[in-house]
Amino acid sequence: MGRGTWSWIVPDGLWEIAEPLIPPSKVRPQGGGTRDTPDETLFAAIIYVLVSGCAWRSLPPCFGISKSTALRRFLIWSRAGAWGRLHEEILHRLDDAGLLDLSRAVLDSAHVRAKRGGELTGPSPVDRGKPGSKMHVLSDSNGLPLLVGLSAANVHDSQALKPMVLGHQTIPNGAVKPGW
């Protein structure tokens, strides 16, 4: 993105790393509709929402795109694995530059209520047994997130530690699956 329109949101060089990882947008075969929004603008809008923590419906009009377009593209890119590949590419570049400190690692987790249930839910020991999930984050010594995993809320942190340290994510049946 360089010193372009959205450089105040997206750091220098990030768009150049992300661009080849973003799946191409599909053109409707019947034509019509509005002009396609450039991926760079959508990327900046999505980064704004993710970093600021605002709701999609609160996306500022300065981006010139609808909130539903930004959310839809975020979901498409998420399903395509673009965010995981971007994270992995950035980690590789930081490692190549000697900026990862793997002399120590930190694993932390947070409980999240899961009112609708789901595959990765279980009775939460901190929320009177209501359904919940647990997010596990493995970070380097500087606090840089290396891996993120999900488990049921009743899975003890020690159960997630070994697979996370080995570079895997936990899955519901207690088995492990390769990360990213």
Side-chain angles (χ1 to χ4, degrees):
M1 212 168 263
R3 293 282 113 207
T5 308
W6 307 113
S7 62
W8 60 280
I9 295 171
V10 179
D12 283 342
L14 183 57
W15 172 245
E16 287 74 21
I17 297 169
E19 187 175 19
L21 306 173
I22 302 293
S25 58
K26 296 184 176 156
V27 178
R28 294 172 28 174
Q30 71 270 27
T34 58
R35 65 176 175 76
D36 198 23
T37 305
D39 286 343
E40 184 176 8
T41 302
L42 285 159
F43 184 77
I46 291 168
I47 294 298
Y48 177 83
V49 169
L50 297 176
V51 170
S52 71
C54 78
W56 291 103
R57 66 180 176 274
S58 301
L59 182 67
C62 66
F63 291 99
I65 58 175
S66 74
K67 296 125 182 87
S68 59
T69 298
L71 175 58
R72 183 175 58 251
R73 197 63 64 90
F74 170 73
L75 294 172
I76 290 169
W77 293 351
S78 296
R79 289 181 193 118
W83 304 112
R85 287 193 307 275
L86 177 59
H87 182 242
E88 193 172 83
E89 179 62 28
I90 291 170
L91 286 177
H92 286 302
R93 289 174 184 232
L94 290 171
D95 190 33
D96 290 345
L99 297 173
L100 287 182
D101 183 0
L102 300 176
S103 61
R104 295 180 185 195
V106 177
L107 178 69
D108 200 4
S109 62
H111 289 269
V112 181
R113 186 181 256 180
K115 290 182 181 181
R116 296 183 181 178
E119 192 176 341
L120 292 172
T121 60
S124 175
V126 297
D127 194 13
R128 300 182 309 246
K130 294 180 180 167
S133 296
K134 194 184 277 191
M135 291 179 20
H136 307 275
V137 179
L138 182 70
S139 302
D140 78 342
S141 296
N142 298 314
L144 183 69
L146 303 171
L147 279 173
V148 176
L150 293 172
S151 69
N154 58 338
V155 172
H156 194 273
D157 288 348
S158 64
Q159 299 294 316
L161 178 62
K162 188 173 181 180
M164 295 284 287
V165 169
L166 294 174
H168 295 81
Q169 292 178 295
T170 56
I171 56 174
N173 64 3
V176 295
K177 145 180 133 172
W180 309 120

